[in-house]
Amino acid sequence: MKSLKFFIILLTIAFVSCTKKTQTTNSRNDSVEKYLKLASIDTLPMETRKAYNKKAFSFIDLEKNDTTVRWYLCETAFNYNILKDSLNYYKASNLHLKKANEANDTLNLARFYRYRGGFNRTFYQKYDSSFYYYRKAEKAYLKTKDLKGLAITT
């Protein structure tokens, strides 16, 4: 009888002490990634892609300045560049530049310069400005040892 009471008490303690483990995810980041992927689907109409990219940009937590935020700003700026939306491109890319400078993030500075060079080349056909930004990107990529980024730039 004692063993039955002991077993019931032990079983009760086990059930009471069990807690449901919750999975913590950042739905904001999930939404940004979801809309960035949708914005990069080239078979969708241009206006739909712009709307998805704008939605992704709205979900970015601009209060933070971590690598994730800088990467999201880089991706939204790149999408705006592809979508030929110069006003929103400048908005996203200037925020990207500001946050990269604040964090002394050489890799994101290199990405900014590379994308700005491409923007000037394709959107405005300003080849001297394009060369200027590509050269700055090359110097920054050399500091980071990112050979892939360097190869794309040169």
Side-chain angles (χ1 to χ4, degrees):
M1 190 64 141
K2 269 188 166 179
S3 63
L4 183 61
K5 284 183 182 179
F6 179 72
F7 180 71
I8 291 174
I9 291 172
L10 186 62
L11 195 59
T12 305
I13 291 172
F15 281 125
V16 171
S17 67
C18 289
T19 59
K20 182 179 178 185
K21 295 184 180 181
T22 58
Q23 181 180 1
T24 57
T25 62
N26 191 342
S27 62
R28 182 175 215 123
N29 285 348
D30 293 343
S31 297
V32 174
E33 290 178 23
K34 172 186 161 187
Y35 286 110
L36 282 174
K37 285 181 183 180
L38 289 170
S40 64
I41 300 172
D42 57 357
T43 56
L44 292 175
M46 199 70 90
E47 290 306 314
T48 305
R49 292 175 64 194
K50 284 181 183 180
Y52 284 143
N53 206 46
K54 188 174 184 176
K55 191 76 164 174
F57 183 77
S58 72
F59 280 119
I60 299 172
D61 187 4
L62 297 175
E63 299 297 318
K64 293 182 181 178
N65 188 6
D66 57 10
T67 55
T68 305
V69 169
R70 292 189 297 273
W71 185 80
Y72 288 153
L73 286 171
C74 180
E75 289 298 308
T76 54
F78 181 71
N79 284 342
Y80 282 132
N81 183 8
I82 290 172
L83 298 170
K84 301 198 184 321
D85 186 349
S86 62
L87 182 63
N88 285 317
Y89 168 77
Y90 275 109
K91 182 180 176 182
S93 68
N94 287 338
L95 276 169
H96 179 227
L97 175 63
K98 179 184 170 195
K99 292 203 177 280
N101 274 327
E102 287 173 0
N104 292 324
D105 186 346
T106 307
L107 181 60
N108 272 294
L109 284 172
R111 288 178 183 152
F112 166 80
Y113 293 134
R114 186 176 93 206
Y115 292 155
R116 183 59 63 96
F119 182 78
N120 282 314
R121 181 176 47 89
T122 59
F123 198 75
Y124 290 120
Q125 286 84 36
K126 290 184 176 179
Y127 300 111
D128 54 341
S129 296
S130 177
F131 178 77
Y132 170 78
Y133 285 113
Y134 280 141
R135 183 70 180 128
K136 288 186 82 146
E138 181 181 7
K139 288 178 183 179
Y141 276 123
L142 285 170
K143 290 179 186 176
T144 64
K145 309 288 190 239
D146 181 0
L147 298 179
K148 183 178 179 184
L150 181 63
I152 293 170
T153 304
T154 56

